[in-house]
Amino acid sequence: MVPAPALRALIVAALTFGVLTGCSNSDYDADDVRYATGYGNHEPLSVLGYPSTGSLGITQEVVWRLADGNAGELAGLAADKDGGSPAKTAENWITAFGKGARGKVTAEFYDEGSVRQTVVLYFHDTGQIKQIQVRVTNGGNKDSWRVVMAEPDPKEAVSVLPWVPKKPGELGSKTPQ
């Protein structure tokens, strides 16, 4: 006869194996798993405007990488990976906005976002504001969303364009003409 603790462990192992193999889906790739893990490990964004699924996803990942302080992963989200600009930009952004990204963040999505979108991030705990551009890039067999990272100068990384409102929602998520 099998002792009760051993039997319990055997049943748990069998159920775990069944759940893991029965629920596995080969349609998920490493990016999907990374995104799901990030979603589970971070506070959700408050969202204004009309993001597409892709523009929302990349914006969430930018905020998560800022909060985690991982410059390599943040630079990996760049639309244009040539030169040293994404790596230096990632370092600048983390230095400037990392603390704020660990608190409450509102992302306001401006205008239509089918292939590119302006997003303004409001870091509530620090009172900081950061405008970013996200866009679709061709990632081989599927399009993927990336962030424009071309701010190697720390002053440029923290500058706020004059049209950007001080509070979320002040322009109704429409870029002034």
Side-chain angles (χ1 to χ4, degrees):
M1 182 152 165
V2 178
L7 180 60
R8 196 172 305 126
L10 182 62
I11 291 170
V12 168
L15 287 172
T16 301
F17 178 76
V19 167
L20 290 176
T21 58
C23 295
S24 63
N25 183 340
S26 62
D27 291 341
Y28 296 117
D29 61 15
D31 288 339
D32 295 325
V33 172
R34 186 186 75 248
Y35 182 83
T37 301
Y39 190 85
N41 290 338
H42 296 90
E43 291 295 320
L45 291 176
S46 295
V47 175
L48 292 172
Y50 301 97
S52 67
T53 303
S55 66
L56 175 59
I58 189 64
T59 301
Q60 286 178 305
E61 290 196 62
V62 166
V63 173
W64 299 339
R65 300 299 79 81
L66 288 170
D68 295 343
N70 190 321
E73 286 188 18
L74 179 57
L77 301 175
D80 183 8
K81 295 180 172 86
D82 295 333
S85 190
K88 185 61 180 156
T89 299
E91 292 172 13
N92 292 339
W93 287 7
I94 288 169
T95 299
F97 304 107
K99 181 179 178 184
R102 289 187 287 279
K104 181 176 170 33
V105 180
T106 296
E108 185 166 9
F109 294 80
Y110 282 81
D111 304 319
E112 189 273 331
S114 61
V115 295
R116 70 179 58 84
Q117 198 158 30
T118 297
V119 183
V120 177
L121 302 172
Y122 294 89
F123 302 98
H124 297 278
D125 292 353
T126 60
Q128 295 171 294
I129 300 170
K130 175 66 185 156
Q131 177 212 351
I132 62 173
Q133 293 286 331
V134 296
R135 63 182 174 95
V136 172
T137 61
N138 185 352
N141 63 348
K142 67 176 185 176
D143 288 340
S144 59
W145 281 81
R146 298 289 178 208
V147 61
V148 176
M149 299 183 72
E151 297 175 338
D153 179 351
K155 290 178 186 166
E156 183 182 15
V158 297
S159 67
V160 179
L161 295 175
W163 70 265
V164 174
K166 302 286 185 236
K167 295 180 184 172
E170 287 183 343
L171 293 178
S173 301
K174 299 284 183 198
T175 305
Q177 302 301 323

